[in-house]
Amino acid sequence: MSDTTTSTDTAPAPFLTAWFEILDTDEPNRILDLISDDFTLSILFSTGDGNATDFAGDRAALVGYLEQRERGTRTHHRLSATTLGQDELFLGEVRRAGVREATFVAAGRVDAGGRLQRLLIGRSSEIRFA
């Protein structure tokens, strides 16, 4: 994962940073070990022409999202990130073969046990922050 921010001690948004690093591996299903029992998510991404796909729900929705993903074709690159208490915010780019494909923003809440409890991701190829 690329980092265009500067950090001296720890990575900003360490949980989401690790999350996206795992997604970029050959074993993205390992993220299932990182979610809480009451996990919920919404992953909304633009499919062009004003249309979007939304994966929303609990663990089953995350499994469905992982099953439809193309493995090994896209990588996630952090543009900026921060942590506010239990909440992590992450702005990044998705690249295919090194070429920017989309911008995404993610917000996650990590519970007291260190597991992801809530996840909201929005992705669009129509806006660029870099």
Side-chain angles (χ1 to χ4, degrees):
M1 172 166 306
S2 173
D3 180 11
T4 59
T5 62
T6 303
S7 177
T8 56
D9 295 324
T10 61
F15 193 97
L16 289 178
T17 297
W19 180 275
F20 291 115
E21 287 174 351
I22 292 169
L23 275 180
D24 291 347
T25 70
D26 291 335
E27 298 177 29
N29 288 354
R30 290 185 299 136
I31 63 172
L32 295 171
D33 296 333
L34 304 178
I35 62 174
S36 67
D37 292 338
D38 64 342
F39 174 79
T40 57
L41 82 147
S42 177
I43 301 174
L44 181 68
F45 56 90
S46 170
T47 56
D49 296 325
N51 297 309
T53 299
D54 188 9
F55 290 88
D58 56 11
R59 180 185 179 92
L62 180 57
V63 168
Y65 170 76
L66 290 170
E67 287 175 353
Q68 62 83 43
R69 287 184 76 243
E70 297 175 49
R71 288 187 182 176
T73 60
R74 294 183 178 97
T75 55
H76 297 81
H77 301 266
R78 182 176 53 217
L79 300 176
S80 64
T82 193
T83 300
L84 303 166
Q86 292 179 272
D87 300 328
E88 293 188 3
L89 306 171
F90 191 106
L91 174 66
E93 280 186 345
V94 176
R95 298 178 190 160
R96 183 188 293 266
V99 176
R100 182 196 164 277
E101 185 174 81
T103 300
F104 70 96
V105 62
R109 175 159 290 164
V110 180
D111 70 13
R115 293 182 175 259
L116 193 62
Q117 187 176 26
R118 301 288 179 267
L119 179 64
L120 174 64
I121 299 176
R123 179 182 135 176
S124 175
S125 60
E126 303 301 317
I127 189 165
R128 186 176 188 136
F129 281 77

